[in-house]
Amino acid sequence: EIVLTQSPDTLSLSPGERATLSCRASQSVGGNYLAWYQHKPGQAPRLLIYGASSRATGIPDRFSGSGSGTDFTLTISRLEPEDVAVYYCQQYGSSPRAFGQGTKVEIK
Amino acid sequence: QVQLVQSGSELKKPGASVNVSCKASGYLFTSYAMTWVRQAPGQGLEWIGWINTNTRNPTYAQGFAGRFVFSFDTSVRTAFLQITSLKAEDTAVYYCARGPAPLDYWGQGTLVTVSS
């Protein structure tokens, strides 16, 4: 079973700053099948990135994903107030397709 | 457009059962699996499992097999999550989502509250 560990737990940045979120897997993620989701309170989660680096439909290009194997990163190039949310990674290369514990992004 | 519309909030007593429904539209129901995810109060997303809408084969995360049952009715394009012998710790928002993964469309969530 692959365990995903996200860091940091909370990220507090000013608008326009760069946000770097990490997701580390306990074993290599097959096929780099790693997705990132954005989850705002009271809303359904939203798919941002799949296959480690492919942006989902309609996702702004300030969101980008990178990494392979056991280390993956979600970058928000210029943080905007509407990006306040909890971000989760999920691996889907093997079962169970568990989520990381999440990183909360706040605006200073 | 693709939509997943879930049933409304439920308040149940411990030991009771609950059925959460998820009605799909805008795509061929049997072309995509359906996944179930929950979020307990103050906690993160928890993957419950998924069901193959072609083979009817379900896959459950550890700790969910037994009391949690996935099913679907293709004639009404609706997936179901049944939870039996409810416990207080089952209190959560339950989401359906399209796919085994990545999960590209999500239902709006159903709050299940278990309280005496």
Side-chain angles (χ1 to χ4, degrees):
Chain A
E1 175 177 338
I2 296 177
V3 176
L4 299 178
T5 302
Q6 293 185 236
S7 61
D9 290 334
T10 303
L11 196 53
S12 186
L13 296 168
S14 299
E17 287 194 298
R18 183 184 191 91
T20 303
L21 287 67
S22 172
C23 176
R24 181 161 291 180
S26 59
Q27 306 169 40
S28 185
V29 175
N32 291 328
Y33 289 145
L34 192 288
W36 289 93
Y37 302 88
Q38 177 190 65
H39 193 197
K40 298 180 180 180
Q43 297 185 20
R46 176 191 184 195
L47 175 66
L48 297 176
I49 302 288
Y50 63 94
S53 60
S54 297
R55 257 189 309 275
T57 304
I59 301 303
D61 60 8
R62 66 179 183 276
F63 291 93
S64 63
S66 62
S68 64
T70 60
D71 288 294
F72 299 88
T73 300
L74 174 70
T75 301
I76 310 173
S77 59
R78 297 170 307 279
L79 196 65
E80 298 196 5
E82 62 261 34
D83 299 333
V84 169
V86 179
Y87 293 82
Y88 296 92
C89 57
Q90 182 201 24
Q91 69 82 22
Y92 53 103
S94 63
S95 194
R97 294 170 177 163
F99 295 90
Q101 85 280 12
T103 290
K104 184 176 184 179
V105 173
E106 300 176 336
I107 294 285
K108 276 184 185 175
Chain B
Q1 73 282 21
V2 174
Q3 278 193 308
L4 298 176
V5 179
Q6 298 185 223
S7 48
S9 298
E10 300 270 8
L11 174 60
K12 295 290 184 181
K13 294 189 184 305
S17 298
V18 69
N19 281 285
V20 178
S21 67
C22 171
K23 185 172 180 61
S25 61
Y27 71 97
L28 184 60
F29 184 79
T30 51
S31 291
Y32 294 84
M34 193 69 76
T35 288
W36 291 92
V37 174
R38 75 178 181 182
Q39 183 178 39
Q43 303 299 309
L45 299 178
E46 186 174 22
W47 185 79
I48 301 172
W50 63 284
I51 185 165
N52 185 315
T53 53
N54 278 305
T55 66
R56 292 190 176 270
N57 183 50
T59 299
Y60 299 98
Q62 191 169 11
F64 287 99
R67 292 194 304 117
F68 291 72
V69 179
F70 306 145
S71 63
F72 60 86
D73 183 340
T74 55
S75 68
V76 290
R77 301 187 309 278
T78 301
F80 302 95
L81 167 64
Q82 182 186 53
I83 312 171
T84 59
S85 302
L86 281 162
K87 306 175 182 181
E89 51 264 41
D90 294 324
T91 294
V93 176
Y94 289 80
Y95 294 98
C96 60
R98 191 178 79 162
L103 305 172
D104 56 355
Y105 289 92
W106 294 65
Q108 83 277 17
T110 296
L111 174 62
V112 175
T113 303
V114 184
S115 174
S116 54

